[in-house]
Short mmCIF file of all heavy atoms in Angstrom, two decimals:
data_model
loop_
_atom_site.label_atom_id
_atom_site.label_comp_id
_atom_site.label_asym_id
_atom_site.label_seq_id
_atom_site.Cartn_x
_atom_site.Cartn_y
_atom_site.Cartn_z
N HIS A 857 332.26 3.91 222.37
CA HIS A 857 333.48 4.13 221.68
C HIS A 857 333.92 5.64 222.01
O HIS A 857 333.29 6.37 222.77
CB HIS A 857 333.26 4.07 220.11
CG HIS A 857 332.75 2.67 219.76
ND1 HIS A 857 333.66 1.64 219.64
CD2 HIS A 857 331.60 2.25 219.46
CE1 HIS A 857 332.97 0.55 219.28
NE2 HIS A 857 331.65 0.89 219.29
N LEU A 858 335.07 6.00 221.43
CA LEU A 858 335.64 7.36 221.63
C LEU A 858 334.57 8.43 221.33
O LEU A 858 334.45 9.35 222.03
CB LEU A 858 336.92 7.53 220.75
CG LEU A 858 337.56 8.83 220.95
CD1 LEU A 858 338.01 9.11 222.47
CD2 LEU A 858 338.88 8.91 220.14
N CYS A 859 333.82 8.23 220.14
CA CYS A 859 332.72 9.18 219.92
C CYS A 859 331.70 9.34 220.94
O CYS A 859 331.21 10.36 221.26
CB CYS A 859 332.05 8.88 218.52
SG CYS A 859 331.31 7.36 218.45
N HIS A 862 333.17 11.67 223.55
CA HIS A 862 333.13 13.13 222.96
C HIS A 862 331.65 13.58 223.08
O HIS A 862 331.51 14.67 223.62
CB HIS A 862 333.61 13.13 221.59
CG HIS A 862 333.60 14.36 220.95
ND1 HIS A 862 334.58 15.36 221.45
CD2 HIS A 862 333.11 15.02 219.93
CE1 HIS A 862 334.46 16.50 220.80
NE2 HIS A 862 333.53 16.32 219.86
N HIS A 917 344.76 3.07 229.38
CA HIS A 917 344.70 3.57 228.02
C HIS A 917 343.65 4.70 227.86
O HIS A 917 342.53 4.59 228.52
CB HIS A 917 344.34 2.38 227.09
CG HIS A 917 344.07 2.66 225.67
ND1 HIS A 917 345.17 3.15 224.90
CD2 HIS A 917 343.00 2.56 224.94
CE1 HIS A 917 344.63 3.38 223.69
NE2 HIS A 917 343.40 3.04 223.65
N ASN A 918 343.93 5.64 227.13
CA ASN A 918 343.09 6.81 227.09
C ASN A 918 341.64 6.63 226.70
O ASN A 918 340.85 7.30 227.27
CB ASN A 918 343.79 7.98 226.38
CG ASN A 918 343.95 7.74 224.90
OD1 ASN A 918 343.17 7.05 224.27
ND2 ASN A 918 344.78 8.53 224.30
N ILE A 919 341.37 5.84 225.78
CA ILE A 919 340.05 5.76 225.24
C ILE A 919 339.04 5.37 226.35
O ILE A 919 338.07 5.94 226.60
CB ILE A 919 339.93 4.97 223.91
CG1 ILE A 919 340.66 5.77 222.84
CG2 ILE A 919 338.40 4.73 223.52
CD1 ILE A 919 340.67 4.99 221.54
N PRO A 920 339.30 4.16 227.08
CA PRO A 920 338.30 3.80 228.08
C PRO A 920 338.28 4.85 229.24
O PRO A 920 337.13 5.08 229.77
CB PRO A 920 338.87 2.54 228.66
CG PRO A 920 339.92 2.01 227.80
CD PRO A 920 340.26 3.19 226.85
N ILE A 922 338.70 8.18 228.83
CA ILE A 922 337.98 9.23 228.30
C ILE A 922 336.45 8.96 228.37
O ILE A 922 335.62 9.83 228.79
CB ILE A 922 338.38 9.51 226.80
CG1 ILE A 922 339.78 10.20 226.80
CG2 ILE A 922 337.35 10.40 226.06
CD1 ILE A 922 340.41 10.26 225.50
N GLU A 963 351.22 8.22 227.56
CA GLU A 963 350.94 7.66 226.20
C GLU A 963 351.44 8.63 225.12
O GLU A 963 351.13 8.62 224.03
CB GLU A 963 349.38 7.51 226.04
CG GLU A 963 348.80 6.35 226.70
CD GLU A 963 347.43 5.95 226.37
OE1 GLU A 963 347.30 5.30 225.34
OE2 GLU A 963 346.50 6.48 227.05
N GLY A 964 352.30 9.60 225.62
CA GLY A 964 352.70 10.62 224.68
C GLY A 964 351.86 11.91 225.03
O GLY A 964 350.77 11.88 225.44
N THR A 965 352.45 13.02 224.60
CA THR A 965 351.83 14.38 224.71
C THR A 965 350.42 14.40 224.17
O THR A 965 349.54 14.83 224.83
CB THR A 965 352.79 15.42 224.22
OG1 THR A 965 354.01 15.27 224.81
CG2 THR A 965 352.21 16.73 224.55
N SER A 966 350.23 14.07 222.93
CA SER A 966 349.00 14.17 222.29
C SER A 966 347.89 13.28 223.03
O SER A 966 346.86 13.75 223.36
CB SER A 966 349.00 13.84 220.85
OG SER A 966 349.79 14.80 220.11
N TYR A 967 348.24 12.12 223.21
CA TYR A 967 347.20 11.15 223.86
C TYR A 967 346.96 11.50 225.24
O TYR A 967 345.84 11.34 225.75
CB TYR A 967 347.71 9.71 223.69
CG TYR A 967 347.53 9.32 222.25
CD1 TYR A 967 348.63 9.22 221.43
CD2 TYR A 967 346.23 9.05 221.69
CE1 TYR A 967 348.55 8.89 220.06
CE2 TYR A 967 346.09 8.73 220.30
CZ TYR A 967 347.22 8.66 219.62
OH TYR A 967 347.13 8.34 218.19
N ASP A 968 347.96 11.95 226.07
CA ASP A 968 347.77 12.35 227.38
C ASP A 968 346.86 13.59 227.45
O ASP A 968 346.01 13.74 228.28
CB ASP A 968 349.09 12.81 228.11
CG ASP A 968 349.94 11.52 228.47
OD1 ASP A 968 349.40 10.36 228.39
OD2 ASP A 968 351.01 11.69 228.85
N ALA A 969 347.00 14.48 226.46
CA ALA A 969 346.12 15.67 226.34
C ALA A 969 344.69 15.33 226.02
O ALA A 969 343.79 15.91 226.52
CB ALA A 969 346.69 16.62 225.29
N PHE A 970 344.53 14.27 225.14
CA PHE A 970 343.06 13.82 224.83
C PHE A 970 342.39 13.41 226.16
O PHE A 970 341.29 13.78 226.40
CB PHE A 970 343.05 12.58 223.82
CG PHE A 970 343.61 12.88 222.53
CD1 PHE A 970 344.23 12.03 221.81
CD2 PHE A 970 343.43 14.10 221.92
CE1 PHE A 970 344.76 12.09 220.49
CE2 PHE A 970 343.93 14.37 220.60
CZ PHE A 970 344.55 13.44 219.97
N PHE A 971 343.15 12.65 226.97
CA PHE A 971 342.56 12.28 228.26
C PHE A 971 342.36 13.49 229.19
O PHE A 971 341.46 13.61 229.84
CB PHE A 971 343.32 11.15 228.96
CG PHE A 971 342.78 10.77 230.32
CD1 PHE A 971 341.51 10.40 230.48
CD2 PHE A 971 343.61 10.90 231.38
CE1 PHE A 971 340.93 10.11 231.66
CE2 PHE A 971 343.14 10.48 232.70
CZ PHE A 971 341.81 10.09 232.79
N ASP A 973 341.71 16.34 228.57
CA ASP A 973 340.51 17.19 228.19
C ASP A 973 339.25 16.62 228.96
O ASP A 973 338.58 17.46 229.62
CB ASP A 973 340.37 17.14 226.71
CG ASP A 973 339.20 18.07 226.22
OD1 ASP A 973 339.13 19.14 226.81
OD2 ASP A 973 338.45 17.59 225.34
N HIS A 1015 352.63 17.86 215.74
CA HIS A 1015 352.49 17.03 217.01
C HIS A 1015 351.33 16.12 216.96
O HIS A 1015 351.36 14.98 217.46
CB HIS A 1015 352.41 17.93 218.20
CG HIS A 1015 352.87 17.25 219.43
ND1 HIS A 1015 354.09 16.88 219.63
CD2 HIS A 1015 352.15 16.87 220.61
CE1 HIS A 1015 354.29 16.25 220.83
NE2 HIS A 1015 353.00 16.23 221.39
N ALA A 1016 350.29 16.42 216.35
CA ALA A 1016 349.06 15.57 216.20
C ALA A 1016 348.69 15.56 214.73
O ALA A 1016 347.83 16.40 214.31
CB ALA A 1016 347.92 16.02 217.07
N PRO A 1017 349.33 14.79 213.91
CA PRO A 1017 349.21 14.95 212.48
C PRO A 1017 347.77 14.73 212.07
O PRO A 1017 346.92 14.00 212.64
CB PRO A 1017 350.06 13.63 211.94
CG PRO A 1017 350.78 13.16 213.10
CD PRO A 1017 350.09 13.70 214.45
N LEU A 1018 347.45 15.41 211.03
CA LEU A 1018 346.13 15.32 210.29
C LEU A 1018 345.82 13.82 210.02
O LEU A 1018 346.57 13.07 209.47
CB LEU A 1018 346.10 16.06 208.96
CG LEU A 1018 344.79 16.21 208.29
CD1 LEU A 1018 343.81 16.93 209.07
CD2 LEU A 1018 345.00 16.92 207.00
N ALA A 1019 344.60 13.42 210.50
CA ALA A 1019 344.09 12.06 210.35
C ALA A 1019 344.71 11.08 211.23
O ALA A 1019 344.25 9.90 211.36
CB ALA A 1019 344.24 11.51 208.81
N ASP A 1020 345.76 11.47 211.92
CA ASP A 1020 346.40 10.51 212.87
C ASP A 1020 346.55 9.12 212.34
O ASP A 1020 346.60 8.98 211.10
CB ASP A 1020 345.59 10.51 214.19
CG ASP A 1020 346.37 10.13 215.39
OD1 ASP A 1020 347.08 9.18 215.35
OD2 ASP A 1020 346.30 10.83 216.42
N VAL A 1021 346.47 8.10 213.17
CA VAL A 1021 346.68 6.77 212.68
C VAL A 1021 345.49 5.90 213.10
O VAL A 1021 345.48 4.61 212.77
CB VAL A 1021 348.09 6.06 213.23
CG1 VAL A 1021 349.23 6.77 212.60
CG2 VAL A 1021 348.07 6.12 214.68
N GLU A 1022 344.46 6.48 213.80
CA GLU A 1022 343.45 5.63 214.23
C GLU A 1022 342.19 6.07 213.58
O GLU A 1022 341.95 7.32 213.28
CB GLU A 1022 343.21 5.91 215.86
CG GLU A 1022 344.42 5.40 216.61
CD GLU A 1022 344.12 5.63 218.10
OE1 GLU A 1022 343.08 5.32 218.62
OE2 GLU A 1022 345.07 6.13 218.71
N PRO A 1023 341.24 5.08 213.21
CA PRO A 1023 340.03 5.57 212.51
C PRO A 1023 339.20 6.43 213.27
O PRO A 1023 338.43 7.16 212.72
CB PRO A 1023 339.42 4.15 212.18
CG PRO A 1023 340.11 3.15 213.05
CD PRO A 1023 341.44 3.69 213.42
N GLU A 1024 339.31 6.40 214.65
CA GLU A 1024 338.42 7.27 215.51
C GLU A 1024 338.76 8.71 215.41
O GLU A 1024 338.11 9.55 215.94
CB GLU A 1024 338.47 6.75 216.97
CG GLU A 1024 338.01 5.38 217.37
CD GLU A 1024 339.19 4.43 217.32
OE1 GLU A 1024 340.22 4.67 216.62
OE2 GLU A 1024 339.05 3.47 218.06
N MET A 1025 340.04 8.98 214.84
CA MET A 1025 340.57 10.23 215.03
C MET A 1025 340.35 11.23 213.76
O MET A 1025 341.02 12.07 213.56
CB MET A 1025 342.14 10.14 215.25
CG MET A 1025 342.42 9.30 216.58
SD MET A 1025 341.64 9.79 217.96
CE MET A 1025 342.86 10.94 218.60
N PHE A 1026 339.27 10.80 213.02
CA PHE A 1026 339.06 11.62 211.76
C PHE A 1026 338.80 13.01 211.94
O PHE A 1026 338.87 13.72 211.05
CB PHE A 1026 337.90 10.86 211.03
CG PHE A 1026 336.66 10.90 211.84
CD1 PHE A 1026 335.88 12.05 211.75
CD2 PHE A 1026 336.28 9.88 212.67
CE1 PHE A 1026 334.64 12.03 212.40
CE2 PHE A 1026 335.06 10.03 213.34
CZ PHE A 1026 334.20 11.11 213.29
N PHE A 1027 338.36 13.39 213.17
CA PHE A 1027 338.00 14.73 213.46
C PHE A 1027 339.12 15.77 213.45
O PHE A 1027 338.94 16.94 213.53
CB PHE A 1027 337.14 14.89 214.72
CG PHE A 1027 337.75 14.34 215.90
CD1 PHE A 1027 338.80 15.04 216.60
CD2 PHE A 1027 337.45 13.09 216.34
CE1 PHE A 1027 339.42 14.57 217.75
CE2 PHE A 1027 338.09 12.54 217.48
CZ PHE A 1027 339.04 13.25 218.13
N TRP A 1028 340.42 15.24 213.40
CA TRP A 1028 341.50 16.16 213.31
C TRP A 1028 341.47 16.97 212.01
O TRP A 1028 341.91 17.86 211.77
CB TRP A 1028 342.90 15.49 213.46
CG TRP A 1028 343.24 15.17 214.80
CD1 TRP A 1028 343.26 13.89 215.52
CD2 TRP A 1028 343.63 16.18 215.76
NE1 TRP A 1028 343.71 14.12 216.75
CE2 TRP A 1028 343.87 15.44 216.98
CE3 TRP A 1028 343.79 17.55 215.78
CZ2 TRP A 1028 344.28 16.04 218.13
CZ3 TRP A 1028 344.23 18.17 216.95
CH2 TRP A 1028 344.51 17.41 218.10
#
Side-chain angles (χ1 to χ4, degrees):
H857 300 282
L858 185 57
C859 61
H862 186 63
H917 175 64
N918 68 19
I919 293 175
I922 288 168
E963 287 192 84
T965 304
S966 295
Y967 289 100
D968 285 352
F970 295 148
F971 175 55
D973 186 42
H1015 204 66
L1018 184 64
D1020 205 314
V1021 294
E1022 297 179 46
E1024 300 96 329
M1025 306 305 270
F1026 63 88
F1027 53 81
W1028 277 109

